[in-house]
Amino acid sequence: MRYHSQLRPGSFSEQTHIVTGGGSGIGRCIAHELASLGARVFLIGRKLDKLERVAGEIASDGGECSFYSLDIRDEQGVKDTVAKIVQAQGRIQGLVNNAGGQFPSALEHIPAKGFDAVLRSNLLGGFLMAREVYVQSMKTHGGSIVNITADNAGGMPMMGHSGAARAGVENLTETAALEWAASGVRVNAVAPGYVLTSGLDTYDPEFLRELLPGFRESIPLYRLGEEAEVSGAVCFLLSDAAGYITGQTLRIDGGSSLKHHSPLWRPVAANSVKRFNGFHRKRRPKVVAALEAEGKL
Ligand SMILES: CCCCCCC/C=C/C(=O)SCCNC(=O)CCNC(=O)[C@H](O)C(C)(C)COP(=O)(O)OP(=O)(O)OC[C@H]1O[C@@H](n2cnc3c(N)ncnc32)[C@H](O)[C@@H]1OP(=O)(O)O
Ligand SMILES: NC(=O)C1=CN([C@@H]2O[C@H](COP(=O)(O)OP(=O)(O)OC[C@H]3O[C@@H](n4cnc5c(N)ncnc54)[C@H](OP(=O)(O)O)[C@@H]3O)[C@@H](O)[C@H]2O)C=CC1
């Protein structure tokens, strides 16, 4: 019997993975985790100083990391950059399409140029990256792609442009999974809810001050997410442990996308969690119960 559900140092050794938007936030965290699992990581982003800093952090932790400055909306730039990586590494095992973002705005105030900039960053750019990585490497050697989308694919005020793009990403994820399955390529998406990253610093602090407490109220797990809670799922989906998963979007949002969620349920849920834990505790193996009593588990 072969078990491989747990990632460990070396799980990605001898593998090359690209992380777009790896110079900050969630992308930086994914890059660190991949490198710690043995991958050679290539970061892509527009601002060289951010990429350089993350590559330095990874190198000082003993990992392997290189970087290219590139706007993923630049078709020729994407082709050339992927070609350089394939030439140097032979093949690419993983691609994380994480780069993206938006400026919060009500639909009525979004100019065509701004709508286009957001659509191209969040939808076209990831498509170009996936297409080139597929054509230049994965079509022959197989591989795994993870697209970062967002909760707002389902519609969210002030985020209409990126929501439209993210819904497109989820659809593309499914089509690519179907078209590329025969080449041994898996394509999945991860949709974070609200995650505490430096990316939030690009928004008006007053706007966030007003909204974030209300957002927390609306999350069944009653807290915002952490970067590492996204990167763990991404690494799992990239790995062989997820070898039979393709075309899926995994929501990492503390339960906020659940159809029947409502803050009204919180006291009921808290009570049933207590009851549920109690139920299990009675049936624990003796050694577990003893260790728990000693505070060791
Ligand atoms: C409502 C909920 C709030 C909480 C949300 C929590 C969930 C989601 C979180 C995240 O996604 S966190 C990630 C945060 N990071 C970012 O969002 C990064 C910042 N965004 C970008 O860099 C985007 O790529 C960009 C906004 C598309 C910028 O791309 P680009 O460099 O091409 O833009 P510009 O050339 O500067 O502008 C083009 C065009 O776009 C309009 N525009 C851009 N910024 C703004 C803005 N702040 N306000 C209004 N309009 C904007 C504008 O039309 C620009 O054209 P010009 O006016 O410059 O001619
Ligand atoms: N934080 C959150 O709550 C959530 C985030 N997300 C998504 O997760 C991803 C990571 O977000 P987060 O870490 O929070 O934010 P960050 O702003 O820290 O990260 C976004 C990264 O994308 C890069 N980037 C943006 N546009 C381009 C482009 N056109 N070409 C190349 N690189 C680009 C930026 O680098 P540079 O400036 O150097 O170009 C930056 O490093 C984003 O797609 C975001 O929309 C989704 C749901 C929730």
Side-chain angles (χ1 to χ4, degrees):
M1 186 73 72
R2 193 162 62 98
Y3 296 106
H4 51 191
S5 60
Q6 246 186 339
L7 297 180
R8 45 182 81 78
S11 289
F12 290 114
S13 65
E14 303 302 316
Q15 293 191 13
T16 299
H17 291 251
I18 298 176
V19 182
T20 69
S24 59
I26 293 169
R28 168 176 170 263
C29 191
I30 294 167
H32 269 278
E33 186 159 350
L34 279 171
S36 79
L37 295 168
R40 285 184 295 262
V41 181
F42 282 78
L43 310 173
I44 285 176
R46 289 168 298 181
K47 295 187 187 118
L48 211 51
D49 57 328
K50 289 163 60 176
L51 303 173
E52 209 164 355
R53 193 162 51 238
V54 175
E57 292 166 4
I58 290 176
S60 66
D61 285 349
E64 271 189 77
C65 184
S66 310
F67 52 89
Y68 287 104
S69 166
L70 169 72
D71 188 323
I72 55 166
R73 295 169 288 190
D74 168 4
E75 185 174 15
Q76 193 57 48
V78 168
K79 279 187 186 171
D80 295 346
T81 304
V82 171
K84 280 184 210 157
I85 298 173
V86 172
Q87 201 170 20
Q89 303 299 319
R91 62 173 285 203
I92 294 164
Q93 279 86 354
L95 165 66
V96 184
N97 269 321
N98 161 79
Q102 62 277 305
F103 52 91
S105 173
L107 291 176
E108 63 188 298
H109 301 303
I110 300 177
K113 188 175 173 193
F115 192 86
D116 189 52
V118 171
L119 261 284
R120 289 166 65 81
S121 291
N122 294 285
L123 181 56
L124 176 76
F127 163 68
L128 294 175
M129 285 298 307
R131 188 190 69 189
E132 284 314 308
V133 165
Y134 176 71
V135 169
Q136 297 191 39
S137 173
M138 290 188 182
K139 186 174 180 179
T140 312
H141 301 292
S144 178
I145 298 174
V146 177
N147 298 319
I148 307 297
T149 146
D151 241 6
N152 65 336
M156 184 187 280
M158 309 296 282
M159 308 286 266
H161 40 13
S162 62
R166 305 304 195 169
V169 172
E170 293 189 13
N171 186 281
L172 261 180
T173 299
E174 293 172 357
T175 301
L178 289 170
E179 287 195 8
W180 299 347
S183 308
V185 180
R186 295 183 300 102
V187 189
N188 291 290
V190 158
Y194 307 111
V195 182
L196 296 162
T197 71
S198 56
L200 292 180
D201 287 335
T202 60
Y203 302 149
D204 175 359
E206 285 308 310
F207 174 75
L208 290 177
R209 175 169 281 283
E210 232 174 88
L211 283 178
L212 287 180
F215 286 160
R216 188 183 69 163
E217 283 294 321
S218 73
I219 300 170
L221 288 180
Y222 203 55
R223 64 178 175 83
L224 306 181
E226 302 282 342
E227 292 164 354
E229 290 172 318
V230 180
S231 73
V234 170
C235 290
F236 165 70
L237 286 171
L238 286 172
S239 77
D240 289 345
Y244 204 50
I245 303 176
T246 196
Q248 304 304 308
T249 295
L250 177 58
R251 305 203 178 276
I252 303 182
D253 59 5
S256 56
S257 56
L258 290 170
K259 188 174 166 197
H260 292 292
H261 98 75
S262 154
L264 294 175
W265 285 108
R266 184 158 306 119
V268 181
N271 262 331
S272 55
V273 166
K274 273 187 222 140
R275 278 205 300 273
F276 182 73
N277 286 343
F279 173 83
H280 272 279
R281 217 157 272 142
K282 280 187 212 141
R283 283 157 182 77
R284 297 242 155 135
K286 283 184 189 148
V287 60
V288 174
L291 283 168
E292 277 175 342
E294 291 163 31
K296 291 181 182 161
L297 258 190

